C-alpha cells in the first residue's frame, strides 16, 4: 500500500504536499556547485540557508556523478562528507540524506546522524541493501543505465518509461525482500539517457505512480535543460523551474533541487492549482 509519510529518524515527513530536497555537494567537481562547499563550515552555512529557504531535507554528496566524472575512494568520500553530516545532524532540525552508493560510506554517515539514504545505483550492491535495512532508513532507489564515466556514450531503450519503471519495481522488491521498509523511487533524469529520454520520462512521469512508492525527481540545472535552451549551467534556473513544476504536476512527491527558494515557490503554485 502507498504510504503518506516518510519516517526519517525522529522526523516524520508528510507526503500531503511535494517535498523539497536541497542539494549540498561537498565535492571539488560537481557540475553546478563543485568546489563551493568543500570547507565544512561553508557547507553547514549553505545547508542552513537551504533550510531557511524552505528545504524539507538536505541531501549531502561527496562524489560527483556528472557524466564523465571519476569515482572517489571510500576514504576520500568519507573525509568530505563525514564531518558535514555529523555537524548538520546536530545543528539542523530537518532530516539529512547521504547520497552515496558505497556501503561503508553509507554505514558511517547513517551512524553519524543521516536518516535517509540516496543510492544512484539503485541498491544494486547487496551490502548496500543490508546497510539500508539495518539502519531502517528511507532509501532512494535511482535508475541509471551504465556508469557515470560512460553513461552518456550511447543510451538506448525500447520504451524508456516501461524499462525504467520495470527496473525500479524489481529493485524495490529486492530491497523489501532484504528488509528495507521504506523505498523511494527515482527515474534518474540524466543518468544514461538522451535529452529525448529525459523529456519523455518527465512527460509520462505519472505512470510511475502506478508503483506503490513515493517518487523523487532531480532535474535541477541538468544538461538536458542546457541542451534545449543553450543556457550555461549557472543560468538554468528558468528551465529548472519549468521542469520541476511539470514533475510535481505529473506526480513527483519530492524534488531534488539546488535553488530551494525559487523551486519552493514554483511547487507551491503547482500544488495550489492542482487543489483548486
Ligand atoms: N542527481 C545527481 C546526484 N544525485 N540523486 C538522485 N536520487 N536523483 C538525481 O537526479 C540525482 C542524484 C546529480 O546532480 P548534482 O548532485 O547536482 O551533481 P553532481 O553529481 O555533479 O554532484
Amino acid at each position: 500500500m502507498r504510504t503518506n509519510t516518510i519516517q526519517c529518524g525522529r522526523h516524520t515527513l508528510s507526503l500531503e504536499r511535494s517535498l523539497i530536497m536541497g542539494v549540498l555537494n561537498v565535492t571539488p567537481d560537481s557540475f553546478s556547485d563543485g568546489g563551493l562547499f568543500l570547507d565544512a563550515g561553508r557547507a553547514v552555512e549553505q545547508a542552513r540557508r537551504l533550510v531557511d529557504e524552505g528545504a524539507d531535507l538536505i541531501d549531502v554528496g561527496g562524489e560527483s556523478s556528472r557524466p564523465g566524472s571519476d569515482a572517489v575512494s571510500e576514504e576520500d568520500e568519507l573525509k568530505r562528507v563525514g564531518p558535514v553530516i555529523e555537524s548538520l545532524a546536530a545543528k539542523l532540525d530537518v532530516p539529512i540524506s547521504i547520497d552515496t552508493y558505497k556501503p561503508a560510506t553509507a554505514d558511517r554517515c547513517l551512524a553519524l546522524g543521516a536518516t535517509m539514504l540516496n543510492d544512484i545505483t539503485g541498491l544494486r550492491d547487496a551490502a548496500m541493501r543490508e546497510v539500508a535495512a539495518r539502519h531502517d532508513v528511507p532509501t532512494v532507489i535511482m535508475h541509471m543505465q551504465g556508469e557515470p564515466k560512460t553513461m552518456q556514450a550511447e543510451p538506448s531503450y525500447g520504451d524508456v518509461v516501461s524499462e525504467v519503471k520495470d527496473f525500479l519495481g524489481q529493485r524495490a522488491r529486492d530491497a523489501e525482500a532484504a528488509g528495507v521498509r521504506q523505498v523511494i523511487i527515482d527515474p534518474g533524469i540524466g543518468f544514461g539517457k538522451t535529452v529525448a529520454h529525459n523529456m519523455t520520462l518527465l512527460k509520462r512521469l505519472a505512470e510511475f505512480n502506478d508503483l506503490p512508492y513515493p517518487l523523487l525527481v532531480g532535474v535541477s540545472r541538468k544538461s538536458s535543460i542546457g541542451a534545449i535552451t543553450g543556457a550555461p549551467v549557472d543560468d538554468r534556473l528558468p528551465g529548472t523551474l519549468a521542469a520541476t513544476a511539470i514533475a510535481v504536476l505529473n506526480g513527483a512527491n519530492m524534488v531534488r533541487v539546488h535553488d530551494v527558494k525559487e523551486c519552493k515557490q514554483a511547487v507551491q503554485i503547482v500544488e495550489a492549482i492542482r487543489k483548486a
Side-chain angles (χ1 to χ4, degrees):
M1 207 190 61
R2 227 185 144 75
T3 170
N4 53 11
T5 57
I6 299 174
Q7 193 66 41
C8 304
R10 67 195 157 91
H11 299 281
T12 306
L13 298 176
S14 165
L15 296 172
E16 291 299 306
R17 63 176 177 81
S18 296
L19 299 169
I20 307 280
M21 173 187 256
V23 179
L24 181 66
N25 286 316
V26 191
T27 63
D29 57 342
S30 284
F31 77 96
S32 78
D33 57 357
L36 290 180
F37 312 117
L38 257 181
D39 170 77
R42 282 249 173 84
V44 172
E45 214 175 277
Q46 170 68 359
R48 267 195 211 284
R49 194 165 75 98
L50 297 177
V51 173
D52 288 346
E53 290 180 353
D56 296 293
L57 68 168
I58 302 289
D59 188 41
V60 179
E63 174 179 318
S64 173
S65 52
R66 74 181 195 290
S69 60
D70 287 312
V72 298
S73 71
E74 236 158 43
E75 199 189 342
D76 286 346
E77 186 182 35
L78 202 49
K79 257 192 234 154
R80 292 178 187 170
V81 295
V84 173
I85 296 265
E86 190 170 20
S87 179
L88 293 182
K91 290 179 177 157
L92 298 186
D93 196 25
V94 298
I96 309 302
S97 153
I98 170 66
D99 182 350
T100 187
Y101 57 87
K102 299 192 191 74
T105 304
D107 195 18
R108 184 75 191 124
C109 289
L110 293 167
L112 287 171
T115 54
M116 186 185 288
L117 183 54
N118 175 19
D119 182 358
I120 61 164
T121 66
L123 293 189
R124 145 170 54 184
D125 186 339
M128 227 19 201
R129 297 195 286 275
E130 186 280 322
V131 169
R134 179 159 42 81
H135 288 273
D136 195 16
V137 285
T139 301
V140 178
I141 291 182
M142 196 197 79
H143 175 273
M144 167 165 55
Q145 188 178 80
E147 311 286 331
K149 190 83 190 155
T150 52
M151 66 190 176
Q152 291 308 108
E154 229 173 307
S156 147
Y157 298 86
D159 176 49
V160 66
V161 175
S162 45
E163 282 182 37
V164 171
K165 195 171 149 187
D166 287 350
F167 170 95
L168 292 174
Q170 188 55 53
R171 283 288 170 84
R173 287 188 291 278
D174 292 347
E176 287 174 330
V180 180
R181 296 194 306 155
Q182 301 183 77
V183 168
I184 297 165
I185 53 170
D186 181 339
I189 299 295
F191 286 87
K193 285 140 191 134
T194 62
V195 175
H197 293 139
N198 292 321
M199 295 306 116
T200 301
L201 286 165
L202 290 169
K203 181 176 176 181
R204 292 172 51 196
L205 200 63
E207 294 178 38
F208 289 91
N209 288 149
D210 296 344
L211 297 172
Y213 308 103
L215 179 63
L216 167 65
V217 173
V219 64
S220 181
R221 301 181 185 172
K222 282 191 176 168
S223 64
S224 285
I225 296 174
I228 293 165
T229 63
V233 69
D234 58 357
D235 194 23
R236 294 182 187 159
L237 178 59
T240 295
L241 293 174
T244 300
I246 295 292
V248 170
L249 188 67
N250 288 348
N253 300 103
M254 193 186 297
V255 285
R256 184 181 179 280
V257 300
H258 304 84
D259 304 287
V260 167
K261 184 176 124 204
E262 293 84 353
C263 289
K264 172 122 187 155
Q265 195 175 108
V267 168
Q268 283 173 320
I269 296 302
V270 173
E271 300 212 312
I273 293 169
R274 204 170 41 189
K275 282 197 191 130

